[in-house]
Amino acid sequence: MTDALDAAGNTTAAIGKGFAIGSAALVSLALYGAFITRAKKSPVHAIKSIEITDPWIFCSLLFGAMLPYAFSAMTMKSVGAAAQDMVNEVRRQFKDKDVKSKKKEPDYQRCITIAT
């Protein structure tokens, strides 16, 4: 039974990856189109032609391509830090409960504060 569920999960993951790659390609094409449109209509430094070899365009595209990775990395880092804080808080509460050896209610508010 578990093998069948595992196979179904693997198939679902493989199909999901295909959709993710396809949507990423479409999004990158849409972002490039938006960049070209905005660059041509700029009131200050309007670009007459779009060439990838132009240093300004290449640097702008490179910077724009790095932004999603930077924000994703910051998000993952903050989630990891919050999870570690939660683990430390739960350990502290268990330690306090063992030391005092009294029935003490968990400090739910502290955990909620960490989570939010």
Side-chain angles (χ1 to χ4, degrees):
M1 185 175 212
T2 57
D3 289 342
L5 291 173
D6 183 48
N10 291 340
T11 303
T12 303
I15 292 170
K17 287 178 187 176
F19 282 116
I21 291 168
S23 67
L26 287 174
V27 167
S28 66
L29 184 62
L31 285 173
Y32 183 66
F35 170 75
I36 290 172
T37 302
R38 297 288 282 184
K40 285 182 177 180
K41 293 182 179 180
S42 174
V44 180
H45 299 289
I47 295 175
K48 304 288 185 256
S49 68
I50 304 293
E51 290 187 33
I52 299 292
T53 56
D54 181 13
W56 285 106
I57 302 229
F58 182 76
C59 290
S60 298
L61 288 172
L62 187 62
F63 184 74
M66 290 187 306
L67 281 177
Y69 294 106
F71 282 109
S72 296
M74 287 187 285
T75 301
M76 286 187 275
K77 200 172 179 183
S78 66
V79 167
Q84 187 62 45
D85 288 347
M86 185 69 74
V87 168
N88 290 335
E89 177 61 24
V90 170
R91 284 181 181 159
R92 184 193 65 78
Q93 288 188 25
F94 274 111
K95 193 184 297 180
D96 286 352
K97 186 177 181 181
D98 290 341
V99 169
K100 294 177 183 174
S101 68
K102 295 179 182 176
K103 286 198 170 194
K104 182 181 176 189
E105 288 295 317
D107 187 6
Y108 295 117
Q109 190 58 43
R110 177 76 178 123
C111 292
I112 291 170
T113 302
I114 292 171
T116 56

